[in-house]
Amino acid sequence: MDFAKEQRNPGKHLYGFSFVVALHLILVYALVNGLGHKLVEVIKKPYETKLIEEAKKPPPEKPPPPPPKLKPPPPPFVPPVEVNIAMTAPVENTISQVTNIKVPVAPPTPVAVKRVPPVIDAARNCTKPEYPSASRRLEERGTVTLNFLIDTDGRVLESKVEKSSGHSRLDQAAQEAMSKCQFKPGTVDGKPERTWARINYKWQLD
């Protein structure tokens, strides 16, 4: 091939140049008439987008059946325990006869208790009751009976008039004087014990 002849052919260069000029003229015309703005507006138009939701499956018409109930397991088998009971012959009652004879019971023998009442200890100080002057002037006289509670040491713990002499002054004078006496305590089987003692005191004018 002869490349030198092709380069020398001016017709091909003319066609190419004419095509380029025509293309530029078309572009200039489009810019002048606003075709470019329309193209930009077409490009700038917002695109509408739609969200297509996934189609939901319709609910089942009938609910699913409940799970089957399982029966409880049977109780463990426990073999019965064998109990051997030895049978014995009944014991006969040894009482062959009952009698209604009552055995006499001897009454308990009473225990003799030796009691000694308290007495005035003459060896101790025991002053004679003084005659009240008013009773002496009025010539009052009589016998008074007194009760005394004697302690285990012989002292008088309590006193009271059991029978009056008929004159209160004489009763009070005898009670006060005799309460100061020392007694021998009463005893039970030889042991001192707190006991009551009775004393008669006679008032008489000399």
Side-chain angles (χ1 to χ4, degrees):
M1 181 178 292
D2 190 357
F3 292 99
K5 289 182 178 181
E6 291 182 3
Q7 293 178 358
R8 292 175 184 173
N9 187 2
K12 293 182 178 180
H13 294 285
L14 182 62
Y15 291 136
F17 181 75
S18 299
F19 178 74
V20 172
V21 172
L23 181 61
H24 282 79
L25 292 175
I26 292 170
L27 291 175
V28 172
Y29 178 77
L31 292 174
V32 172
N33 292 329
L35 293 177
H37 294 286
K38 292 181 180 181
L39 181 62
V40 172
E41 289 179 1
V42 171
I43 294 172
K44 288 185 177 180
K45 283 185 179 181
Y47 292 96
E48 293 182 2
T49 57
K50 293 183 179 180
L51 298 176
I52 301 174
E53 295 182 358
E54 183 180 358
K56 295 181 180 180
K57 295 181 180 180
E61 296 180 358
K62 294 181 179 181
K69 295 182 179 180
L70 300 177
K71 294 182 179 181
F77 175 73
V78 179
V81 180
E82 295 182 2
V83 180
N84 296 326
I85 301 175
M87 300 299 291
T88 58
V91 180
E92 296 181 359
N93 192 354
T94 58
I95 301 174
S96 59
Q97 186 177 1
V98 179
T99 60
N100 293 326
I101 299 174
K102 295 182 179 180
V103 179
V105 179
T109 57
V111 179
V113 178
K114 186 178 180 181
R115 292 181 179 272
V116 177
V119 293
I120 295 177
D121 189 357
R124 304 289 182 94
N125 293 330
C126 184
T127 58
K128 182 180 178 180
E130 185 178 355
Y131 219 112
S133 58
S135 297
R136 183 182 294 276
R137 186 174 59 253
L138 296 173
E139 298 183 352
E140 296 176 349
R141 65 189 71 188
T143 301
V144 57
T145 302
L146 302 172
N147 284 333
F148 295 97
L149 178 60
I150 310 303
D151 201 359
T152 56
D153 58 356
R155 293 182 299 108
V156 176
L157 297 178
E158 185 180 348
S159 64
K160 58 185 178 180
V161 176
E162 181 179 341
K163 185 179 179 181
S164 175
S165 63
H167 306 282
S168 59
R169 282 187 293 268
L170 297 179
D171 296 341
Q172 185 177 359
Q175 186 177 5
E176 291 179 356
M178 301 301 290
S179 296
K180 298 176 182 179
C181 293
Q182 182 73 26
F183 289 78
K184 285 184 178 180
T187 59
V188 176
D189 292 338
K191 295 181 180 180
E193 188 178 67
R194 182 180 297 180
T195 53
W196 283 90
R198 179 186 288 117
I199 298 176
N200 296 324
Y201 188 79
K202 185 178 181 179
W203 292 96
Q204 61 184 1
L205 293 172
D206 298 335

